[in-house]
Every structure is written in C-alpha cells, then in structure tokens.
Amino acid sequence: MSSRWSTNPINRDGQVVSIRPNVAGDIEILKCLGRYTVLTATDIAALTNRSYKAIIARLNLLKREPNKLIQIHRTQLESPRLYQWSAQALHLTNKGIVKLQEIGFEVAQREPSTHFIHALTESQTAASFEIGARERLIPFNEIVNSPSTPKSVAEIGDYSIPVAFSYKGKDYDYRLAPDGRPFGIAYSDDTYRFCVFETDCASEPLVSSNRDRQAIETKLAAYLTVLERRLYETHFGLPNLTILFTSTTRTRVENMIALLASMSPKFLNCFGFTQFPTIIGDAPQPTDRGWAFNRPWLQCGGKKLNLAEA
C-alpha cells in the first residue's frame, strides 16, 4: 500500500511526530467530520476557512499513529488502485468520536449507508450549504428545538415523514426520509426558506413498474403529497418546504425535471435540481465548495431558484 494510504507514524530526527492535545485547529477538523460524517480535504478546508495545504498537513498527522483520530474510508482502503486518483474520503475513528464527546460536542448520528459514494456525496452537499450560507443557515438541531416543532420530533430527532398516497392506481404507505435533514435559510427581510435535499447517484431508475422498487418517480409523488397536505407543517412545524435534488449528470437532471413536470402542474416552484458530480465521476467537482447555496438550482419551465435571494 502506498504512503498515500499509510497510517504509519511520521518520524523526524528519529522521533515519532505526534500532535499536541486539543489544538484548536485540529478540534475544528474533528468537528467538521462530527457534523458531516465523511468529507474530503477540500471540503474541510472550505468549512474551516484554512488553506488546502495546511489542512492536508494536519490530516496527515491526525490519520496516522499514534493519533488515529480520523481514518480513510474502508471502501477506498480496500481498493486503493480504483481510488488512486480520487480525493480521499475521511471520517472519525472511535477515538476521534470519544475526543469530541469529551469536550461536549455531539457527533451527528446518521443511518449507516452501504453505498460509499452516496454517503460521501450526501455529506459534501450538506457541508456545501453551510459553506455557502454561513451565518444565514439554520441547522436541523435549531429547528427541532424551536417552539413550533412538535414535541415528538424534538424528542427523538426523527426527520422522516410518514405519508400514505395513491399513484398510478397503486397505494403506498411511505416513510419519506430525505438525505439532507431539514434546514433553514434566513433572509434580511425576516423571511425564511426551509429545505431538504435528495442525493441521486443514478443508482435508481427514474420510473419503475415494480411498486416495491425505489424509483425517483415514486419519491417525487411522495413529496408532492407532502406539499399538497402540508405535512411539513404538521410534522416539523415549518411554514414552507423546498425540495432540492442533486444528480451526477446534466442529462439526468434534465430528465428528472421533465418527469416532475409530467406528474403535476402544482408545486413545481417548490423543487430545485442541479448537477453535482461524485469524486469518481467524469466531470470535476465544483471549485466553489459553497455551490449548493451560491449556484442557482434549475426548475421546471426553464426557471431558476436562487437560494441567496428571498
């Protein structure tokens, strides 16, 4: 295994190089991974407002013996040649989680994903909203602790929405769990937009005749029902909801937009779509790591949704 993947200690003048405890910059790196589970060095550099070179140097120490507070994702370690030219995906070790807990930082608990690329792309998208919105972002924990949130949601932190609906002659009893937890964006005119997002890695068909197979069409139908019945209000206490979809290619995005337009003429302005390539995609990822907030999202009818504007 090449040195890029190694966790062997760094030696300098015959001495093992270790980090000093509770270095502020290192703690901030751990907190980034505590919030977003798995990220690349580029994401962490943008989140912490530090240079890529500085972050790489610290990550190289944090992942090695005797520190080992973070580690490269197992999927990449098991196939280093496959990911040799891709960005490394990093997450906390148990030791890193304990370190954050010792200082009173609550590490995000999310459902484990067996799909490595989906988990990484989802975390990158969530981090991008923070990078772009900064002071205007209202995170999930603030939403569930607000007076308007139903007590059950605030107590258990369950952000999935139970929704029963009929579509194309079939009945569905669906539990809609967005990839991105609800978050809000505050505007200068004292208005707010609340959003969830879905990360599509093109692993699901757009449509399927098999009602037991997950398809984008079914998910869109569930969201249309949520909007029609205002379930976001009864379940979360939110006054509005915008649903954002990312996908890997422009063609896939355009097909999703066309599919939504064919399903309903209502609530089309409550959806936004954009392309976000994965780390192993043919297209490079955006250099602006705040792209999710800074870049307009495409909508039906050729419209665009600019999250930076009320």
Side-chain angles (χ1 to χ4, degrees), residues 174 176 206 215-225 243 245 256-257 259-261 263 271 273:
Y174 208 82
L176 189 57
L206 290 178
I216 298 299
E217 182 182 33
T218 311
K219 191 171 292 185
L220 289 172
Y223 274 118
L224 287 168
T225 303
I243 301 101
F245 277 80
M256 292 168 73
I257 292 173
L259 174 61
L260 174 63
M263 294 174 63
F271 291 85
F273 302 82

Side-chain angles (χ1 to χ4, degrees), residues 224-245:
L224 287 168
T225 303
V226 168
L227 293 169
E228 178 73 45
R229 299 177 187 170
R230 299 182 65 88
L231 297 180
Y232 54 84
E233 186 172 6
T234 56
H235 192 68
F236 294 123
L238 301 180
N240 58 69
L241 187 67
T242 297
I243 301 101
L244 304 169
F245 277 80

Side-chain angles (χ1 to χ4, degrees), residues 30-37 92 97 100-101 105-111 140 181:
L30 299 183
K31 286 181 178 179
C32 290
L33 293 172
R35 292 197 299 277
Y36 297 115
T37 310
L92 295 172
I97 292 173
L100 288 179
Q101 290 174 338
F105 184 88
E106 184 177 352
V107 176
Q109 299 295 322
R110 291 183 172 84
E111 290 295 323
F140 175 71
R181 296 181 175 192

Side-chain angles (χ1 to χ4, degrees), residues 121-307:
T121 309
E122 175 188 323
S123 287
Q124 288 183 301
T125 302
S128 182
F129 282 108
E130 178 182 334
I131 294 165
R134 298 292 181 186
E135 300 302 323
R136 296 164 63 179
L137 188 75
I138 304 170
F140 175 71
N141 65 326
E142 292 186 23
I143 290 176
V144 299
N145 288 321
S146 68
S148 62
T149 304
K151 188 175 181 181
S152 60
V153 176
E155 285 179 343
I156 64 177
D158 182 9
Y159 63 99
S160 63
I161 305 175
V163 52
F165 62 97
S166 297
Y167 182 67
K168 288 186 174 180
K170 298 177 181 178
D171 295 329
Y172 294 86
D173 190 5
Y174 208 82
R175 194 158 194 91
L176 189 57
D179 290 325
R181 296 181 175 192
F183 63 90
I185 300 170
Y187 297 101
S188 57
D189 61 355
D190 292 329
T191 60
Y192 301 85
R193 181 190 297 276
F194 295 93
C195 307
V196 294
F197 72 81
E198 293 286 350
T199 300
D200 171 57
C201 292
S203 59
E204 300 174 358
L206 290 178
V207 298
S208 176
S209 58
N210 183 352
R211 72 180 303 279
D212 295 322
R213 185 180 183 186
Q214 179 70 60
I216 298 299
E217 182 182 33
T218 311
K219 191 171 292 185
L220 289 172
Y223 274 118
L224 287 168
T225 303
V226 168
L227 293 169
E228 178 73 45
R229 299 177 187 170
R230 299 182 65 88
L231 297 180
Y232 54 84
E233 186 172 6
T234 56
H235 192 68
F236 294 123
L238 301 180
N240 58 69
L241 187 67
T242 297
I243 301 101
L244 304 169
F245 277 80
T246 72
S247 196
T248 53
T249 66
R250 178 65 179 243
T251 299
R252 176 88 169 177
V253 166
E254 290 173 348
N255 288 339
M256 292 168 73
I257 292 173
L259 174 61
L260 174 63
S262 72
M263 294 174 63
S264 173
K266 300 174 63 177
F267 307 112
L268 300 184
N269 63 336
C270 294
F271 291 85
F273 302 82
T274 196
Q275 178 188 358
F276 179 49
T278 69
I279 62 167
I280 57 174
D282 294 332
Q285 292 192 323
T287 54
D288 173 15
R289 302 313 270 193
W291 59 268
F293 179 78
N294 297 328
R295 186 171 69 190
W297 293 69
L298 303 178
Q299 294 186 304
C300 296
K303 297 180 181 179
K304 293 184 178 180
L305 170 63
N306 190 342
L307 295 178

